[in-house]
Amino acid sequence: MKYLFFFLWLLTNAAAFSQSPSRLRAFMQQTPSPAQAIPYGNNPKAGQYAQTKDAKIYYEVYGQGKPLVILHGGIVGSTYEMAQFIDSLAKTHQVIAISTRGHGKSEMGSGVPSYERKAEDVKTIIEAVTKDSVLVLGFSDGAYTGYFLAASHPDKVKKLIAIGAGEWKPGWRKFDNTRQSLFGLDSLYFTQQLALLPQPERFDKWLLSVNHYYSTVSIGKPVLGKIQCPVLVMAGEKDQNAPLKTVIAAYEMIPKAQLSIIPDAPHPAFLTNFSAVWASMLPFLRG
């Protein structure tokens, strides 16, 4: 597997993806975004910045109620891919949608873009928005960030929904993402994303750093076993990036975990079967 979300390519048969260049889209999105769609991740009406130790991190706030942080996937991920969650949850919650470092309008910062750093970024934003602890919903890279946040700052996280994030052993996959390979998959998406980046000239070096980190990171009992809050570990049955056995292993390592497997769904289970994901997570959020 040569890049983070190869399964999405397998889900598409179209040779080209038509979309208005000025309208935000998710990676490998097959149909144009609705004209009235909120441009999550690039919405000046809701966007704000938080200064961390080494980077300005962009986030948007929607709705009112209990605070809930939303964290998107990595490399090919964006706040916009989480649109259905934001649309639905903002009706009952204060949604804090964060563009993690190196994505969208957030700076890359210095050093390795590790989950520890991303967790500290999220903590800074939480403290800027609310004095309360929060609910967290993360997908893939965002779910791993949620694991590290809950493990290192238990006072900040009430509950965590982690989609597509299992046990991670060093070297279990090869990561060799390049600008060429990513643009070859969806040039329009990456053209849009580079236009949002504060430092697009650093993109290639950032990719090298991310590739190395993903190839060497270890995520298991030392992190997952420290999580004190309830966690809903969710995955698609046919998740290629977080295989079922790794998801079950993570579930067994987390002290207060629940497990939800979406039948016949791939890594982004919510993009292929949002109704099943929504039905599974609602009782957890309300409980």
Side-chain angles (χ1 to χ4, degrees):
M1 189 175 295
K2 295 184 178 181
Y3 48 89
L4 191 57
F5 295 119
F6 179 72
F7 72 93
L8 284 174
W9 175 253
L10 299 177
L11 291 176
T12 61
N13 295 314
F17 303 86
S18 61
Q19 170 89 2
S20 168
S22 62
R23 201 177 298 166
L24 281 186
R25 67 198 298 275
F27 176 66
M28 300 293 276
Q29 183 174 318
Q30 297 184 43
T31 58
S33 299
Q36 70 276 16
I38 298 173
Y40 295 125
N42 189 29
N43 184 4
K45 296 180 180 179
Q48 303 177 58
Y49 286 92
Q51 180 65 55
T52 66
K53 292 181 179 179
D54 66 332
K56 288 173 62 178
I57 305 299
Y58 179 82
Y59 66 98
E60 296 173 355
V61 180
Y62 299 93
Q64 296 180 343
K66 294 180 180 179
L68 186 150
V69 169
I70 287 184
L71 301 170
H72 59 75
I75 301 184
V76 301
S78 66
T79 299
Y80 189 75
E81 75 184 5
M82 309 299 280
Q84 284 181 287
F85 285 126
I86 302 173
D87 287 344
S88 301
L89 289 165
K91 297 174 182 178
T92 54
H93 293 77
Q94 180 188 46
V95 174
I96 307 164
I98 300 174
S99 296
T100 56
R101 57 174 57 216
H103 296 80
K105 302 179 77 170
S106 290
E107 293 179 346
M108 297 172 183
S110 58
V112 178
S114 66
Y115 291 125
E116 289 91 345
R117 284 176 181 259
K118 292 177 185 177
E120 293 304 312
D121 294 343
V122 176
K123 174 179 177 288
T124 297
I125 292 172
I126 291 171
E127 292 175 342
V129 176
T130 180
K131 295 181 180 179
D132 196 6
S133 57
V134 302
L135 305 166
V136 177
L137 187 158
F139 165 56
S140 192
D141 194 79
Y144 286 113
T145 298
Y147 286 153
F148 277 78
L149 176 68
S152 58
H153 300 289
D155 59 314
K156 297 298 179 183
V157 184
K158 290 180 179 176
K159 292 182 179 181
L160 168 63
I161 298 174
I163 303 174
E167 179 187 20
W168 194 323
K169 296 182 179 180
W172 73 292
R173 283 169 53 199
K174 183 178 180 180
F175 294 89
D176 56 0
N177 302 282
T178 65
R179 177 191 293 257
Q180 183 178 11
S181 66
L182 294 174
F183 270 75
L185 294 172
D186 192 339
S187 62
L188 178 53
Y189 172 78
F190 278 101
T191 298
Q192 287 184 339
Q193 291 301 305
L194 285 178
L196 294 178
L197 279 176
Q199 300 164 300
E201 71 280 0
R202 294 184 58 198
F203 182 69
D204 297 280
K205 288 187 177 180
W206 176 79
L207 270 180
L208 288 175
S209 180
V210 172
N211 287 340
H212 177 72
Y213 177 70
Y214 285 158
S215 297
T216 57
V217 68
S218 176
I219 305 173
K221 192 63 177 279
V223 173
L224 302 178
K226 290 174 60 178
I227 299 174
Q228 300 176 18
C229 69
V231 179
L232 177 61
V233 180
M234 185 183 298
E237 178 190 7
K238 298 182 178 179
D239 190 324
Q240 295 89 337
N241 290 343
L244 199 54
K245 64 179 181 180
T246 70
V247 173
I248 294 174
Y251 156 74
E252 292 176 339
M253 294 176 188
I254 298 170
K256 299 178 182 178
Q258 299 177 32
L259 181 65
S260 174
I261 303 301
I262 307 302
D264 201 37
H267 191 50
F270 59 95
L271 292 179
T272 60
N273 195 346
F274 184 80
S275 60
V277 170
W278 184 250
S280 181
M281 59 184 271
L282 273 187
F284 177 78
L285 286 175
R286 292 171 177 168

mmCIF file of all heavy atoms in Angstrom, residues 122-169:
data_model
loop_
_atom_site.group_PDB
_atom_site.id
_atom_site.type_symbol
_atom_site.label_atom_id
_atom_site.label_comp_id
_atom_site.label_asym_id
_atom_site.label_seq_id
_atom_site.Cartn_x
_atom_site.Cartn_y
_atom_site.Cartn_z
ATOM 1 N N VAL A 122 -4.704 19.917 20.209
ATOM 2 C CA VAL A 122 -6.135 19.809 20.515
ATOM 3 C C VAL A 122 -6.415 20.318 21.928
ATOM 4 O O VAL A 122 -7.398 21.036 22.157
ATOM 5 C CB VAL A 122 -6.613 18.356 20.350
ATOM 6 C CG1 VAL A 122 -8.076 18.223 20.772
ATOM 7 C CG2 VAL A 122 -6.442 17.896 18.900
ATOM 8 N N LYS A 123 -5.560 19.987 22.859
ATOM 9 C CA LYS A 123 -5.718 20.465 24.238
ATOM 10 C C LYS A 123 -5.728 21.995 24.280
ATOM 11 O O LYS A 123 -6.544 22.603 24.972
ATOM 12 C CB LYS A 123 -4.591 19.920 25.111
ATOM 13 C CG LYS A 123 -4.577 20.462 26.543
ATOM 14 C CD LYS A 123 -3.445 19.842 27.338
ATOM 15 C CE LYS A 123 -3.358 20.425 28.758
ATOM 16 N NZ LYS A 123 -2.848 21.807 28.753
ATOM 17 N N THR A 124 -4.812 22.618 23.536
ATOM 18 C CA THR A 124 -4.739 24.081 23.502
ATOM 19 C C THR A 124 -6.044 24.678 22.985
ATOM 20 O O THR A 124 -6.556 25.668 23.532
ATOM 21 C CB THR A 124 -3.570 24.531 22.609
ATOM 22 O OG1 THR A 124 -2.346 24.080 23.177
ATOM 23 C CG2 THR A 124 -3.531 26.043 22.480
ATOM 24 N N ILE A 125 -6.601 24.063 21.956
ATOM 25 C CA ILE A 125 -7.854 24.577 21.379
ATOM 26 C C ILE A 125 -9.020 24.359 22.327
ATOM 27 O O ILE A 125 -9.875 25.245 22.500
ATOM 28 C CB ILE A 125 -8.111 23.927 20.005
ATOM 29 C CG1 ILE A 125 -7.056 24.413 19.011
ATOM 30 C CG2 ILE A 125 -9.523 24.253 19.502
ATOM 31 C CD1 ILE A 125 -7.078 23.698 17.680
ATOM 32 N N ILE A 126 -9.077 23.204 22.956
ATOM 33 C CA ILE A 126 -10.134 22.948 23.932
ATOM 34 C C ILE A 126 -10.128 24.032 25.005
ATOM 35 O O ILE A 126 -11.179 24.608 25.342
ATOM 36 C CB ILE A 126 -9.970 21.562 24.581
ATOM 37 C CG1 ILE A 126 -10.246 20.452 23.552
ATOM 38 C CG2 ILE A 126 -10.912 21.398 25.783
ATOM 39 C CD1 ILE A 126 -9.893 19.063 24.048
ATOM 40 N N GLU A 127 -8.956 24.346 25.523
ATOM 41 C CA GLU A 127 -8.848 25.338 26.587
ATOM 42 C C GLU A 127 -9.176 26.738 26.108
ATOM 43 O O GLU A 127 -9.600 27.588 26.895
ATOM 44 C CB GLU A 127 -7.442 25.289 27.179
ATOM 45 C CG GLU A 127 -7.165 23.994 27.938
ATOM 46 C CD GLU A 127 -5.739 23.883 28.433
ATOM 47 O OE1 GLU A 127 -4.867 24.626 27.925
ATOM 48 O OE2 GLU A 127 -5.499 23.042 29.331
ATOM 49 N N ALA A 128 -9.003 26.980 24.795
ATOM 50 C CA ALA A 128 -9.345 28.284 24.239
ATOM 51 C C ALA A 128 -10.851 28.453 24.056
ATOM 52 O O ALA A 128 -11.369 29.575 24.079
ATOM 53 C CB ALA A 128 -8.645 28.485 22.893
ATOM 54 N N VAL A 129 -11.556 27.335 23.889
ATOM 55 C CA VAL A 129 -12.992 27.394 23.590
ATOM 56 C C VAL A 129 -13.859 27.192 24.825
ATOM 57 O O VAL A 129 -14.895 27.843 24.986
ATOM 58 C CB VAL A 129 -13.353 26.338 22.514
ATOM 59 C CG1 VAL A 129 -14.858 26.319 22.261
ATOM 60 C CG2 VAL A 129 -12.602 26.627 21.217
ATOM 61 N N THR A 130 -13.470 26.279 25.704
ATOM 62 C CA THR A 130 -14.348 25.927 26.824
ATOM 63 C C THR A 130 -13.549 25.589 28.070
ATOM 64 O O THR A 130 -12.389 25.163 27.989
ATOM 65 C CB THR A 130 -15.226 24.719 26.446
ATOM 66 O OG1 THR A 130 -16.073 24.373 27.534
ATOM 67 C CG2 THR A 130 -14.381 23.510 26.068
ATOM 68 N N LYS A 131 -14.181 25.760 29.212
ATOM 69 C CA LYS A 131 -13.589 25.336 30.485
ATOM 70 C C LYS A 131 -14.008 23.918 30.834
ATOM 71 O O LYS A 131 -13.525 23.333 31.799
ATOM 72 C CB LYS A 131 -14.023 26.288 31.598
ATOM 73 C CG LYS A 131 -13.499 27.711 31.434
ATOM 74 C CD LYS A 131 -13.948 28.606 32.581
ATOM 75 C CE LYS A 131 -13.424 30.018 32.404
ATOM 76 N NZ LYS A 131 -13.867 30.923 33.506
ATOM 77 N N ASP A 132 -14.904 23.373 30.026
ATOM 78 C CA ASP A 132 -15.436 22.037 30.274
ATOM 79 C C ASP A 132 -14.553 20.985 29.606
ATOM 80 O O ASP A 132 -13.758 21.289 28.718
ATOM 81 C CB ASP A 132 -16.861 21.960 29.714
ATOM 82 C CG ASP A 132 -17.645 20.774 30.249
ATOM 83 O OD1 ASP A 132 -17.120 20.068 31.136
ATOM 84 O OD2 ASP A 132 -18.774 20.551 29.774
ATOM 85 N N SER A 133 -14.703 19.741 30.012
ATOM 86 C CA SER A 133 -14.114 18.641 29.260
ATOM 87 C C SER A 133 -15.014 18.366 28.062
ATOM 88 O O SER A 133 -16.152 18.850 27.994
ATOM 89 C CB SER A 133 -13.980 17.396 30.142
ATOM 90 O OG SER A 133 -15.231 17.022 30.677
ATOM 91 N N VAL A 134 -14.524 17.605 27.096
ATOM 92 C CA VAL A 134 -15.232 17.485 25.821
ATOM 93 C C VAL A 134 -15.465 16.030 25.422
ATOM 94 O O VAL A 134 -14.819 15.111 25.922
ATOM 95 C CB VAL A 134 -14.438 18.182 24.696
ATOM 96 C CG1 VAL A 134 -14.200 19.652 25.024
ATOM 97 C CG2 VAL A 134 -13.110 17.472 24.429
ATOM 98 N N LEU A 135 -16.376 15.861 24.494
ATOM 99 C CA LEU A 135 -16.518 14.628 23.748
ATOM 100 C C LEU A 135 -15.587 14.739 22.544
ATOM 101 O O LEU A 135 -15.382 15.835 22.018
ATOM 102 C CB LEU A 135 -17.965 14.446 23.283
ATOM 103 C CG LEU A 135 -19.043 14.495 24.372
ATOM 104 C CD1 LEU A 135 -20.423 14.645 23.733
ATOM 105 C CD2 LEU A 135 -18.984 13.261 25.240
ATOM 106 N N VAL A 136 -15.034 13.635 22.101
ATOM 107 C CA VAL A 136 -14.141 13.650 20.941
ATOM 108 C C VAL A 136 -14.591 12.594 19.946
ATOM 109 O O VAL A 136 -14.872 11.456 20.323
ATOM 110 C CB VAL A 136 -12.677 13.395 21.346
ATOM 111 C CG1 VAL A 136 -11.779 13.349 20.107
ATOM 112 C CG2 VAL A 136 -12.177 14.466 22.309
ATOM 113 N N LEU A 137 -14.652 12.990 18.679
ATOM 114 C CA LEU A 137 -14.928 12.061 17.588
ATOM 115 C C LEU A 137 -13.787 12.189 16.593
ATOM 116 O O LEU A 137 -13.570 13.254 16.022
ATOM 117 C CB LEU A 137 -16.261 12.379 16.919
ATOM 118 C CG LEU A 137 -16.773 11.382 15.868
ATOM 119 C CD1 LEU A 137 -18.289 11.533 15.697
ATOM 120 C CD2 LEU A 137 -16.107 11.580 14.506
ATOM 121 N N GLY A 138 -13.041 11.105 16.404
ATOM 122 C CA GLY A 138 -11.916 11.142 15.484
ATOM 123 C C GLY A 138 -11.966 10.005 14.493
ATOM 124 O O GLY A 138 -12.376 8.888 14.827
ATOM 125 N N PHE A 139 -11.523 10.305 13.279
ATOM 126 C CA PHE A 139 -11.453 9.287 12.235
ATOM 127 C C PHE A 139 -9.996 9.039 11.866
ATOM 128 O O PHE A 139 -9.246 9.974 11.572
ATOM 129 C CB PHE A 139 -12.227 9.745 10.996
ATOM 130 C CG PHE A 139 -11.920 8.953 9.748
ATOM 131 C CD1 PHE A 139 -12.066 7.578 9.719
ATOM 132 C CD2 PHE A 139 -11.466 9.595 8.601
ATOM 133 C CE1 PHE A 139 -11.776 6.850 8.576
ATOM 134 C CE2 PHE A 139 -11.180 8.876 7.447
ATOM 135 C CZ PHE A 139 -11.332 7.501 7.428
ATOM 136 N N SER A 140 -9.576 7.779 11.885
ATOM 137 C CA SER A 140 -8.250 7.373 11.456
ATOM 138 C C SER A 140 -7.171 8.159 12.190
ATOM 139 O O SER A 140 -7.008 8.014 13.395
ATOM 140 C CB SER A 140 -8.136 7.538 9.928
ATOM 141 O OG SER A 140 -6.994 6.908 9.424
ATOM 142 N N ASP A 141 -6.427 9.017 11.508
ATOM 143 C CA ASP A 141 -5.407 9.840 12.147
ATOM 144 C C ASP A 141 -5.998 10.627 13.319
ATOM 145 O O ASP A 141 -5.380 10.764 14.377
ATOM 146 C CB ASP A 141 -4.823 10.806 11.110
ATOM 147 C CG ASP A 141 -3.539 11.464 11.563
ATOM 148 O OD1 ASP A 141 -2.486 10.820 11.496
ATOM 149 O OD2 ASP A 141 -3.598 12.631 11.978
ATOM 150 N N GLY A 142 -7.211 11.137 13.126
ATOM 151 C CA GLY A 142 -7.878 11.878 14.190
ATOM 152 C C GLY A 142 -8.240 11.003 15.377
ATOM 153 O O GLY A 142 -8.232 11.456 16.527
ATOM 154 N N ALA A 143 -8.547 9.741 15.117
ATOM 155 C CA ALA A 143 -8.856 8.812 16.209
ATOM 156 C C ALA A 143 -7.607 8.503 17.025
ATOM 157 O O ALA A 143 -7.655 8.426 18.255
ATOM 158 C CB ALA A 143 -9.457 7.527 15.648
ATOM 159 N N TYR A 144 -6.467 8.323 16.339
ATOM 160 C CA TYR A 144 -5.219 8.089 17.064
ATOM 161 C C TYR A 144 -4.843 9.305 17.905
ATOM 162 O O TYR A 144 -4.378 9.172 19.043
ATOM 163 C CB TYR A 144 -4.093 7.748 16.092
ATOM 164 C CG TYR A 144 -4.196 6.360 15.510
ATOM 165 C CD1 TYR A 144 -4.444 6.171 14.157
ATOM 166 C CD2 TYR A 144 -4.051 5.237 16.315
ATOM 167 C CE1 TYR A 144 -4.547 4.899 13.617
ATOM 168 C CE2 TYR A 144 -4.155 3.958 15.795
ATOM 169 C CZ TYR A 144 -4.401 3.791 14.440
ATOM 170 O OH TYR A 144 -4.509 2.524 13.920
ATOM 171 N N THR A 145 -5.060 10.496 17.348
ATOM 172 C CA THR A 145 -4.833 11.712 18.133
ATOM 173 C C THR A 145 -5.735 11.724 19.356
ATOM 174 O O THR A 145 -5.315 12.099 20.451
ATOM 175 C CB THR A 145 -5.085 12.962 17.272
ATOM 176 O OG1 THR A 145 -4.169 12.984 16.170
ATOM 177 C CG2 THR A 145 -4.908 14.238 18.081
ATOM 178 N N GLY A 146 -6.970 11.275 19.178
ATOM 179 C CA GLY A 146 -7.897 11.178 20.301
ATOM 180 C C GLY A 146 -7.419 10.210 21.369
ATOM 181 O O GLY A 146 -7.547 10.470 22.565
ATOM 182 N N TYR A 147 -6.846 9.073 20.933
ATOM 183 C CA TYR A 147 -6.286 8.123 21.901
ATOM 184 C C TYR A 147 -5.214 8.790 22.754
ATOM 185 O O TYR A 147 -5.192 8.653 23.984
ATOM 186 C CB TYR A 147 -5.652 6.934 21.168
ATOM 187 C CG TYR A 147 -6.606 5.933 20.557
ATOM 188 C CD1 TYR A 147 -6.216 5.184 19.442
ATOM 189 C CD2 TYR A 147 -7.865 5.699 21.090
ATOM 190 C CE1 TYR A 147 -7.058 4.241 18.881
ATOM 191 C CE2 TYR A 147 -8.719 4.761 20.534
ATOM 192 C CZ TYR A 147 -8.313 4.036 19.425
ATOM 193 O OH TYR A 147 -9.152 3.095 18.864
ATOM 194 N N PHE A 148 -4.285 9.483 22.101
ATOM 195 C CA PHE A 148 -3.181 10.117 22.828
ATOM 196 C C PHE A 148 -3.689 11.248 23.723
ATOM 197 O O PHE A 148 -3.182 11.429 24.833
ATOM 198 C CB PHE A 148 -2.138 10.642 21.845
ATOM 199 C CG PHE A 148 -1.161 9.592 21.387
ATOM 200 C CD1 PHE A 148 -1.521 8.657 20.422
ATOM 201 C CD2 PHE A 148 0.115 9.523 21.923
ATOM 202 C CE1 PHE A 148 -0.636 7.676 20.000
ATOM 203 C CE2 PHE A 148 1.019 8.550 21.509
ATOM 204 C CZ PHE A 148 0.643 7.616 20.539
ATOM 205 N N LEU A 149 -4.670 11.999 23.256
ATOM 206 C CA LEU A 149 -5.243 13.078 24.066
ATOM 207 C C LEU A 149 -5.895 12.513 25.319
ATOM 208 O O LEU A 149 -5.670 13.005 26.434
ATOM 209 C CB LEU A 149 -6.274 13.860 23.248
ATOM 210 C CG LEU A 149 -7.029 14.957 23.999
ATOM 211 C CD1 LEU A 149 -6.091 16.099 24.365
ATOM 212 C CD2 LEU A 149 -8.197 15.471 23.149
ATOM 213 N N ALA A 150 -6.702 11.469 25.164
ATOM 214 C CA ALA A 150 -7.400 10.871 26.303
ATOM 215 C C ALA A 150 -6.417 10.230 27.276
ATOM 216 O O ALA A 150 -6.632 10.265 28.495
ATOM 217 C CB ALA A 150 -8.405 9.834 25.807
ATOM 218 N N ALA A 151 -5.336 9.652 26.758
ATOM 219 C CA ALA A 151 -4.352 9.004 27.618
ATOM 220 C C ALA A 151 -3.524 10.009 28.408
ATOM 221 O O ALA A 151 -3.227 9.791 29.589
ATOM 222 C CB ALA A 151 -3.427 8.121 26.784
ATOM 223 N N SER A 152 -3.158 11.126 27.773
ATOM 224 C CA SER A 152 -2.267 12.097 28.417
ATOM 225 C C SER A 152 -3.011 13.186 29.178
ATOM 226 O O SER A 152 -2.455 13.790 30.101
ATOM 227 C CB SER A 152 -1.349 12.745 27.380
ATOM 228 O OG SER A 152 -2.096 13.384 26.361
ATOM 229 N N HIS A 153 -4.269 13.424 28.821
ATOM 230 C CA HIS A 153 -5.056 14.482 29.484
ATOM 231 C C HIS A 153 -6.460 13.961 29.804
ATOM 232 O O HIS A 153 -7.455 14.393 29.201
ATOM 233 C CB HIS A 153 -5.134 15.728 28.600
ATOM 234 C CG HIS A 153 -3.797 16.327 28.288
ATOM 235 N ND1 HIS A 153 -3.044 16.992 29.240
ATOM 236 C CD2 HIS A 153 -3.067 16.337 27.143
ATOM 237 C CE1 HIS A 153 -1.918 17.410 28.690
ATOM 238 N NE2 HIS A 153 -1.903 17.018 27.431
ATOM 239 N N PRO A 154 -6.560 13.030 30.731
ATOM 240 C CA PRO A 154 -7.867 12.417 31.042
ATOM 241 C C PRO A 154 -8.907 13.414 31.522
ATOM 242 O O PRO A 154 -10.113 13.156 31.382
ATOM 243 C CB PRO A 154 -7.517 11.396 32.127
ATOM 244 C CG PRO A 154 -6.222 11.853 32.699
ATOM 245 C CD PRO A 154 -5.483 12.485 31.565
ATOM 246 N N ASP A 155 -8.465 14.542 32.056
ATOM 247 C CA ASP A 155 -9.411 15.552 32.531
ATOM 248 C C ASP A 155 -10.066 16.315 31.390
ATOM 249 O O ASP A 155 -11.051 17.024 31.614
ATOM 250 C CB ASP A 155 -8.697 16.550 33.449
ATOM 251 C CG ASP A 155 -7.544 17.259 32.758
ATOM 252 O OD1 ASP A 155 -6.750 16.570 32.080
ATOM 253 O OD2 ASP A 155 -7.425 18.492 32.888
ATOM 254 N N LYS A 156 -9.576 16.161 30.172
ATOM 255 C CA LYS A 156 -10.101 16.912 29.033
ATOM 256 C C LYS A 156 -11.119 16.135 28.207
ATOM 257 O O LYS A 156 -11.851 16.722 27.415
ATOM 258 C CB LYS A 156 -8.951 17.355 28.118
ATOM 259 C CG LYS A 156 -7.950 18.306 28.759
ATOM 260 C CD LYS A 156 -8.614 19.607 29.177
ATOM 261 C CE LYS A 156 -7.632 20.558 29.833
ATOM 262 N NZ LYS A 156 -8.298 21.799 30.313
ATOM 263 N N VAL A 157 -11.155 14.809 28.359
ATOM 264 C CA VAL A 157 -11.994 13.989 27.481
ATOM 265 C C VAL A 157 -13.029 13.202 28.283
ATOM 266 O O VAL A 157 -12.675 12.357 29.104
ATOM 267 C CB VAL A 157 -11.130 13.017 26.647
ATOM 268 C CG1 VAL A 157 -12.013 12.238 25.673
ATOM 269 C CG2 VAL A 157 -10.042 13.770 25.900
ATOM 270 N N LYS A 158 -14.303 13.460 28.024
ATOM 271 C CA LYS A 158 -15.382 12.723 28.682
ATOM 272 C C LYS A 158 -15.607 11.372 28.022
ATOM 273 O O LYS A 158 -15.738 10.341 28.678
ATOM 274 C CB LYS A 158 -16.673 13.539 28.626
ATOM 275 C CG LYS A 158 -16.694 14.781 29.493
ATOM 276 C CD LYS A 158 -18.013 15.506 29.342
ATOM 277 C CE LYS A 158 -18.054 16.753 30.223
ATOM 278 N NZ LYS A 158 -19.303 17.535 30.029
ATOM 279 N N LYS A 159 -15.695 11.395 26.710
ATOM 280 C CA LYS A 159 -15.899 10.182 25.920
ATOM 281 C C LYS A 159 -15.187 10.352 24.587
ATOM 282 O O LYS A 159 -14.997 11.471 24.101
ATOM 283 C CB LYS A 159 -17.393 9.926 25.653
ATOM 284 C CG LYS A 159 -18.216 9.566 26.876
ATOM 285 C CD LYS A 159 -19.660 9.282 26.481
ATOM 286 C CE LYS A 159 -20.506 8.901 27.684
ATOM 287 N NZ LYS A 159 -21.914 8.604 27.284
ATOM 288 N N LEU A 160 -14.818 9.227 23.994
ATOM 289 C CA LEU A 160 -14.119 9.245 22.720
ATOM 290 C C LEU A 160 -14.753 8.244 21.758
ATOM 291 O O LEU A 160 -14.976 7.087 22.123
ATOM 292 C CB LEU A 160 -12.640 8.897 22.927
ATOM 293 C CG LEU A 160 -11.795 8.591 21.683
ATOM 294 C CD1 LEU A 160 -11.695 9.790 20.766
ATOM 295 C CD2 LEU A 160 -10.404 8.099 22.103
ATOM 296 N N ILE A 161 -15.037 8.697 20.550
ATOM 297 C CA ILE A 161 -15.443 7.804 19.462
ATOM 298 C C ILE A 161 -14.268 7.737 18.495
ATOM 299 O O ILE A 161 -13.861 8.745 17.926
ATOM 300 C CB ILE A 161 -16.700 8.314 18.740
ATOM 301 C CG1 ILE A 161 -17.889 8.378 19.702
ATOM 302 C CG2 ILE A 161 -17.036 7.401 17.550
ATOM 303 C CD1 ILE A 161 -19.121 9.018 19.098
ATOM 304 N N ALA A 162 -13.707 6.547 18.334
ATOM 305 C CA ALA A 162 -12.528 6.351 17.489
ATOM 306 C C ALA A 162 -12.905 5.468 16.303
ATOM 307 O O ALA A 162 -13.190 4.281 16.469
ATOM 308 C CB ALA A 162 -11.402 5.713 18.293
ATOM 309 N N ILE A 163 -12.904 6.043 15.110
ATOM 310 C CA ILE A 163 -13.296 5.322 13.904
ATOM 311 C C ILE A 163 -12.056 4.966 13.092
ATOM 312 O O ILE A 163 -11.262 5.829 12.723
ATOM 313 C CB ILE A 163 -14.259 6.159 13.040
ATOM 314 C CG1 ILE A 163 -15.498 6.563 13.851
ATOM 315 C CG2 ILE A 163 -14.665 5.391 11.791
ATOM 316 C CD1 ILE A 163 -16.432 7.508 13.110
ATOM 317 N N GLY A 164 -11.880 3.686 12.813
ATOM 318 C CA GLY A 164 -10.789 3.251 11.948
ATOM 319 C C GLY A 164 -9.409 3.400 12.555
ATOM 320 O O GLY A 164 -8.487 3.869 11.877
ATOM 321 N N ALA A 165 -9.229 2.995 13.811
ATOM 322 C CA ALA A 165 -7.933 3.134 14.479
ATOM 323 C C ALA A 165 -7.690 1.941 15.390
ATOM 324 O O ALA A 165 -8.271 1.850 16.472
ATOM 325 C CB ALA A 165 -7.889 4.430 15.281
ATOM 326 N N GLY A 166 -6.835 1.048 14.956
ATOM 327 C CA GLY A 166 -6.523 -0.138 15.738
ATOM 328 C C GLY A 166 -5.129 -0.102 16.322
ATOM 329 O O GLY A 166 -4.448 0.931 16.299
ATOM 330 N N GLU A 167 -4.695 -1.215 16.868
ATOM 331 C CA GLU A 167 -3.322 -1.330 17.350
ATOM 332 C C GLU A 167 -2.370 -1.067 16.177
ATOM 333 O O GLU A 167 -2.651 -1.437 15.038
ATOM 334 C CB GLU A 167 -3.080 -2.740 17.902
ATOM 335 C CG GLU A 167 -1.677 -2.965 18.414
ATOM 336 C CD GLU A 167 -1.425 -4.406 18.799
ATOM 337 O OE1 GLU A 167 -2.184 -5.287 18.323
ATOM 338 O OE2 GLU A 167 -0.471 -4.661 19.555
ATOM 339 N N TRP A 168 -1.254 -0.415 16.461
ATOM 340 C CA TRP A 168 -0.324 -0.030 15.396
ATOM 341 C C TRP A 168 1.080 -0.493 15.772
ATOM 342 O O TRP A 168 1.630 -0.061 16.779
ATOM 343 C CB TRP A 168 -0.340 1.485 15.235
ATOM 344 C CG TRP A 168 0.311 2.010 13.985
ATOM 345 C CD1 TRP A 168 1.427 1.535 13.372
ATOM 346 C CD2 TRP A 168 -0.128 3.132 13.213
ATOM 347 N NE1 TRP A 168 1.734 2.287 12.276
ATOM 348 C CE2 TRP A 168 0.786 3.283 12.134
ATOM 349 C CE3 TRP A 168 -1.188 4.028 13.320
ATOM 350 C CZ2 TRP A 168 0.666 4.297 11.199
ATOM 351 C CZ3 TRP A 168 -1.306 5.031 12.376
ATOM 352 C CH2 TRP A 168 -0.404 5.165 11.327
ATOM 353 N N LYS A 169 1.650 -1.381 14.957
ATOM 354 C CA LYS A 169 2.991 -1.884 15.206
ATOM 355 C C LYS A 169 3.961 -1.309 14.175
ATOM 356 O O LYS A 169 3.612 -1.187 12.992
ATOM 357 C CB LYS A 169 3.011 -3.410 15.148
ATOM 358 C CG LYS A 169 2.184 -4.077 16.240
ATOM 359 C CD LYS A 169 2.276 -5.589 16.168
ATOM 360 C CE LYS A 169 1.472 -6.238 17.284
ATOM 361 N NZ LYS A 169 1.556 -7.721 17.238
#
